[in-house]
Amino acid sequence: MGKGGDATQARPAARVFKGQQTDAEGNWKSSYNPLDKNAPELPTKGQIKASIPAHCFERSYIWGMAYLIRDLIIASAFVYATSKCLSTDLPDIRDPVAVLTWTFGWSFYAFWMGTIMTGPWVVAHECGHGAFSPSQTWNDIVGFVVHQILLVPYFAWQYTHAKHHRRTNHLTDGESHVPSTASENGLGPNNERESFYAVMHEAIGDGAFAGFQVWTHLAIGWPLYLLGLASTGKMDHKGQPLAGRIADHFRTDSPMFPGKISFKIGMSTSFIILQLAALCYMMLPSQIGPMPVILWYWNPYFFVNAWLVLYTWLQHNDPSVPHYGTGEWTWVRGALSTIDRPYGIFDFFHHRIGSTHVAHHLFHEMPHYNALEATHALKAYLEPMGLYNYDPTPWYKAMWRVGKTCHYVQDDTGIQYYKSMEDVPLTKDAKKTK
């Protein structure tokens, strides 16, 4: 096996606690270590699929539409209830109770409406995978309408997300949340802090840097990704390095996309532009006005984005989960690097996308309403071999831990594990100020 950097030193001694393997600090860690000479031989995709009941792969027009309609009914009821309780008119600033009530009420609406609308987002994402119904034409119609309403360029993201599934946890040919290297984070050959995140981390400290990681991922990560400015892959659609080219989701000639789908990319972008124009028109004072559009649409929209980035971030990143260079990566290795996590009540609204993500990455064509049964079967098959990743840590604690520990990999070859800026020695000047 090839090794990247000093990856073996990044994995502290383990112990077993309540059926889960943990590190020296008591944090969950993956049982599978490909650097271990006693690591189990991985099953094939066919062997894994055989462990799942065949009916779990059956898709239904009725069930697919039923869950989408359920989500839209919940959203409509919540909008109606909110309209009866809150006004979009700004409260009298001289009345602190009114100000607090108005602020809390609309914040409550934004969070929960964003949470509710993440459900249709997940359903539309299944349309892109072909899991919504037996007809891809119907899948694309439904997925296009729902995703475009949520300002997602459906066909563009369908293409790049499919690559994310094809190249999961690939260090160079992956897509979205591809780890950056030490040098890309401003670390020199001997871990000297030379620029960028390395210097920033030292300047603001561990906690503030983790908070910055969480904020950048959840608040601005999604639009930056769509614009090709953050968290994109490193290769174009031909497998050539981007070499500074911007790989956005909107241009028909973006290096992300082959020419054969340029019409679809153009259609997605055109509808995004039309919707943005409509929203801007509605925000005119002579129309609905800016405040109602911000409160009813834009604030929940940002929470939808936060949820979808959170899922992708947490389901593939942990200090104990490997990423693979070209010589080490295989499809099964990448897919089995996915992590299931508990999300409590949010599982209901989000169709268990986070707690059944291993099954989803192994078989994206499987509809979400069968994923729980499939997950139980996968766990029974994979867990005895130490190949099923389930971190019982509450999602918000896991988010903070990933924000504090998953900053960079040493390079993009061999087998790499995430490292933390917290473990990089401080410069002499910084030590003096501590």
Side-chain angles (χ1 to χ4, degrees):
M1 295 290 184
K3 296 183 181 180
D6 55 347
T8 53
Q9 298 177 12
R11 295 171 64 88
R15 58 191 175 88
V16 176
F17 179 69
K18 291 185 178 179
Q20 296 288 336
Q21 194 173 28
T22 61
D23 64 20
E25 288 75 41
N27 298 307
W28 172 87
K29 77 177 229 179
S30 176
S31 300
Y32 177 62
N33 177 7
L35 296 169
D36 188 339
K37 64 179 182 180
N38 296 317
E41 181 179 352
L42 299 185
T44 66
K45 182 178 181 180
Q47 289 172 327
I48 298 172
K49 187 173 184 178
S51 72
I52 301 174
H55 66 262
C56 289
F57 296 92
E58 296 175 1
R59 297 160 296 171
S60 165
Y61 291 100
I62 295 175
W63 281 112
M65 288 301 299
Y67 277 100
L68 177 59
I69 292 170
R70 183 207 75 172
D71 293 342
L72 297 178
I73 289 174
I74 294 173
S76 300
F78 190 54
V79 167
Y80 177 78
T82 301
S83 69
K84 297 299 181 181
C85 299
L86 296 174
S87 170
T88 59
D89 295 332
L90 290 171
D92 186 344
I93 196 171
R94 295 167 296 182
D95 186 345
V97 174
V99 171
L100 287 173
T101 301
W102 189 90
T103 302
F104 174 80
W106 282 112
S107 298
F108 182 87
Y109 167 80
F111 174 80
W112 281 105
M113 189 61 180
T115 297
I116 293 167
M117 288 306 297
T118 302
W121 202 105
V122 171
V123 172
H125 137 270
E126 286 204 336
C127 290
H129 282 306
F132 182 73
S133 80
S135 167
Q136 190 55 44
T137 300
W138 180 240
N139 293 340
D140 285 341
I141 291 172
V142 174
F144 184 86
V145 171
V146 176
H147 261 175
Q148 297 288 152
I149 289 173
L150 296 170
L151 289 177
V152 180
Y154 173 76
F155 287 115
W157 191 79
Q158 179 189 44
Y159 183 87
T160 58
H161 189 63
K163 183 182 178 184
H164 166 67
H165 276 255
R166 289 197 309 270
R167 295 289 186 268
T168 306
N169 280 37
H170 196 299
L171 284 165
T172 56
D173 201 26
E175 181 60 46
S176 81
H177 297 278
V178 178
S180 53
T181 63
S183 61
E184 291 168 340
N185 278 269
L187 292 171
N190 297 309
N191 274 2
E192 309 94 332
R193 294 175 182 261
E194 296 180 339
S195 62
F196 198 38
Y197 280 148
V199 173
M200 178 184 177
H201 171 266
E202 185 172 82
I204 66 177
D206 297 341
F209 189 76
F212 175 77
Q213 290 292 309
V214 171
W215 182 82
T216 53
H217 277 80
L218 304 192
I220 60 176
W222 176 246
L224 289 181
Y225 172 64
L226 290 181
L227 291 168
L229 301 177
S231 195
T232 61
K234 299 180 180 181
M235 301 288 187
D236 64 16
H237 73 274
K238 295 180 180 179
Q240 300 299 315
L242 288 174
R245 291 175 293 165
I246 295 178
D248 63 274
H249 283 72
F250 301 106
R251 291 176 297 144
T252 56
D253 61 349
S254 171
M256 278 186 168
F257 308 119
K260 64 182 181 181
I261 64 169
S262 60
F263 175 77
K264 289 184 175 181
I265 303 303
M267 185 165 60
S268 292
T269 301
S270 298
F271 275 83
I272 291 290
I273 294 172
L274 286 173
Q275 186 176 349
L276 286 173
L279 288 166
C280 289
Y281 177 75
M282 289 188 290
M283 291 177 71
L284 293 173
S286 60
Q287 302 303 314
I288 298 175
M291 189 57 67
V293 177
I294 291 171
L295 294 173
W296 287 113
Y297 183 88
W298 285 114
N299 287 350
Y301 165 78
F302 285 110
F303 277 104
V304 172
N305 293 349
W307 276 116
L308 69 94
V309 171
L310 179 72
Y311 281 120
T312 311
W313 191 27
L314 293 190
Q315 307 319 128
H316 302 289
N317 293 300
D318 184 89
S320 70
V321 171
H323 288 71
Y324 302 95
T326 299
E328 298 287 351
W329 182 89
T330 67
W331 185 88
V332 171
R333 270 185 162 181
L336 290 179
S337 296
T338 308
I339 310 163
D340 280 346
R341 299 182 185 275
Y343 285 88
I345 190 174
F346 302 110
D347 265 341
F348 169 78
F349 294 103
H350 301 161
H351 308 297
R352 300 183 182 275
I353 190 63
S355 59
T356 62
H357 212 75
V358 173
H360 174 64
H361 254 266
L362 285 166
F363 305 106
H364 59 259
E365 69 276 15
M366 180 191 304
H368 67 82
Y369 42 83
N370 293 331
L372 182 59
E373 181 180 357
T375 295
H376 292 323
L378 285 171
K379 181 178 180 181
Y381 177 67
L382 295 172
E383 196 168 50
M385 295 182 279
L387 299 177
Y388 173 67
N389 289 325
Y390 175 77
D391 181 0
T393 307
W395 62 269
Y396 49 90
K397 291 184 178 180
M399 175 184 69
W400 185 250
R401 179 170 177 253
V402 169
K404 283 176 65 67
T405 59
C406 295
H407 298 152
Y408 69 98
V409 294
Q410 195 61 41
D411 57 52
D412 55 15
T413 61
I415 298 174
Q416 297 284 338
Y417 288 88
Y418 262 117
K419 295 184 177 184
S420 173
M421 287 291 181
E422 296 181 12
D423 299 325
V424 178
L426 300 174
T427 62
K428 293 181 180 179
D429 291 341
K431 289 179 180 178
K432 292 177 182 179
T433 63
K434 295 294 181 181

